[in-house]
Each structure stands twice: as C-alpha cells, then as structure tokens.
C-alpha cells in the first residue's frame, strides 16, 4: 500500500438535469466528499458523494479504475470540490469541474484527515495548493500531524470559448449555508434561494452573450 496519492481531477455530471446537487446548497467549494465506486457493465465508475450521501458527479473510466485499485488496496479516498463550470457544447452543453482527490493509507488516517481539512480550507478561499508531491513531502505531512502545507499552488485550467465557471470559492452565500448546517435554518433557506437565483442569472447572461 502506498502512503499517499493526490491530484486535481475532472468530473462531470450524468446530465444537465442531474446537476442540481452540484449547483445547489448541499455541496460547496471546499466541502470534503467521499468516493464510491460501482462496476457498471464491466467498467469502473467512481462517484463523488457529498456528506448527505448524494451522488454529485463521476470521474472518467481510466481515473475511476485507478481509484478502484487504490480502494481495493485499502486506501481512504476523499474529494474536495475545487470549482464547478458549464460548457455550452456539445449539444445543449454540460456541467463539469474539478476536485482535489487525496487518497491515503489507513495507518496514516489521522495525519491525512487533518491535511485534507487544511487543504479544504485553502480551496474554500480560492487557493489551490499543490497536492501531488514526492515521498519526502508525504513524510512531512505525517511528521507534522497533517499541519504541513506545500507553498506551491495550482492554477485553474484554461477556460476555453463556451465555458463559464459557476463556483470557484466559498462565497458569502456558502458561508451562510455553513450556518444553516450548524442549525441556523433561516440562513440556510435564504442562502439556498439566493444561490439558485445567482446561478439562473449566470446562465441567463451566458446565453445572452452567445445570442441564444
């Protein structure tokens, strides 16, 4: 079993209609999600699952298979939402994005649980720390109890024509959602309605620019 594996990985939703969880209040930038792996018609499919056991999106077959092999080896697998985006092609377009994927051996769970939490806090603030590093850096994480963080950062992928980022930082709205999760239901309801309005405005503006 390897000690640690980390990378930023693309995901996609099953369809535009299935993107509601990704766009809604139950998964925010910086949220730590689990990974569930299915075997569908002989092909591995790894799903990103939020803290409410809702499947948000999935990885491509090659990366899903890699995750399956690490899971079979007993590694713990976590995904932190980094950003969500919309692309207007092909056809009617699709929602996609990236998560920070961090997998680690169970003997180092305490150290890397703390590391994942610290990475998530950085990502929530629109900072993408480098998470793919060598054995020496892995040992630094373990020796520090998970508090060591790399200084290098990773840029967002280039946004091509027809792409628009919908989420990339933990906004004021998402911070209100945190209050709702902590028990302030009024903030939760208001922030959820506000988020839907913002997404609708973004999509409307996006379509207007394209002349739809």
């Amino acid at each position: 079993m390897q000690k640690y594996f980390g990378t930023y990985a693309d995901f996609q939703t099953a369809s535009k209609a299935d993107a509601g969880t990704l766009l809604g209040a139950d998964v925010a930038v910086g949220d730590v999600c689990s990974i569930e792996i299915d075997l569908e018609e002989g092909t591995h499919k790894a799903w990103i699952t939020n803290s409410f056991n809702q499947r948000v999106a999935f990885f491509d077959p090659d990366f899903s298979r890699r995750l399956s092999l690490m899971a079979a080896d007993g590694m713990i697998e976590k995904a932190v939402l980094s950003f969500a985006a919309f692309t207007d092609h092909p056809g009617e377009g699709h929602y996609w994005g990236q998560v920070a994927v961090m997998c680690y051996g169970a003997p180092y769970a305490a150290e890397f649980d703390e590391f994942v939490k610290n990475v998530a806090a950085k990502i929530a603030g629109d900072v993408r720390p480098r998470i793919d590093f060598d054995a020496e850096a892995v040992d630094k994480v373990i020796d520090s109890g998970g508090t060591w963080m790399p200084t290098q950062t990773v840029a967002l992928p280039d946004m091509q024509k027809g792409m628009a980022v919908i989420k990339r930082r933990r906004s004021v709205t998402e911070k209100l959602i945190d209050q709702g999760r902590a028990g302030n239901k009024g903030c939760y309801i208001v922030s959820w309605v506000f988020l839907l309005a913002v997404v609708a405005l973004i999509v409307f503006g996006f379509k207007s620019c394209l002349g739809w």
Side-chain angles (χ1 to χ4, degrees):
M1 179 193 298
Q2 64 186 104
K3 291 181 180 179
Y4 170 81
F5 166 82
T7 190
Y8 287 90
D10 290 356
F11 65 78
Q12 60 181 309
T13 61
S15 68
K16 287 177 68 177
D18 292 319
T21 303
L22 174 65
L23 302 178
D26 289 339
V27 57
V29 173
D31 273 3
V32 179
C33 300
S34 59
I35 296 174
E36 297 180 353
I37 302 170
D38 288 342
L39 188 62
E40 300 180 3
E41 298 180 353
T43 301
H44 290 94
K45 194 170 190 177
W47 290 87
I48 301 163
T49 304
N50 69 5
S51 58
F52 302 99
N53 292 320
Q54 298 168 310
R55 288 186 166 182
V56 178
F58 60 90
F59 300 108
D60 66 40
D62 288 342
F63 193 63
S64 292
R65 175 170 172 75
R66 188 172 187 180
L67 289 170
S68 177
L69 292 172
M70 288 188 288
D73 200 28
M75 296 186 75
I76 299 166
E77 300 179 335
K78 299 294 182 181
V80 177
L81 180 63
S82 173
F83 74 88
F86 178 76
T87 297
D88 70 348
H89 57 274
E92 295 183 352
H94 64 282
Y95 291 96
W96 63 285
Q98 282 190 348
V99 288
V101 176
M102 288 162 282
C103 309
Y104 42 95
Y108 314 102
E111 294 85 354
F112 279 102
D113 283 349
E114 180 68 17
F115 179 71
V116 169
K117 183 180 74 173
N118 292 330
V119 168
K122 291 284 188 181
I123 290 175
D126 198 19
V127 176
R128 287 162 44 104
R130 181 181 176 184
I131 57 172
D132 59 324
F133 35 69
D134 58 22
E136 182 179 354
V138 170
D139 288 339
K140 287 181 180 179
V141 174
I142 295 170
D143 292 343
S144 69
T147 61
W148 179 85
M149 290 289 292
T151 57
Q152 303 96 328
T153 58
V154 178
L156 288 174
D158 293 336
M159 292 292 113
Q160 306 298 324
K161 183 178 180 180
M163 298 181 182
V165 173
I166 296 172
K167 293 182 178 182
R168 62 172 290 175
R169 62 175 59 85
R170 207 173 192 90
S171 64
V172 172
T173 303
E174 290 174 327
K175 291 176 182 177
L176 288 172
I177 291 169
D178 290 338
Q179 294 183 27
R181 290 173 177 172
N184 190 334
K185 301 302 181 183
C187 285
Y188 181 85
I189 294 170
V190 170
S191 59
W192 192 85
V193 171
F194 179 72
L195 179 60
L196 289 181
V198 170
V199 170
L201 184 61
I202 291 172
V203 173
F204 175 78
F206 189 56
K207 290 182 176 181
S208 298
C209 291
L210 295 175
W212 290 3

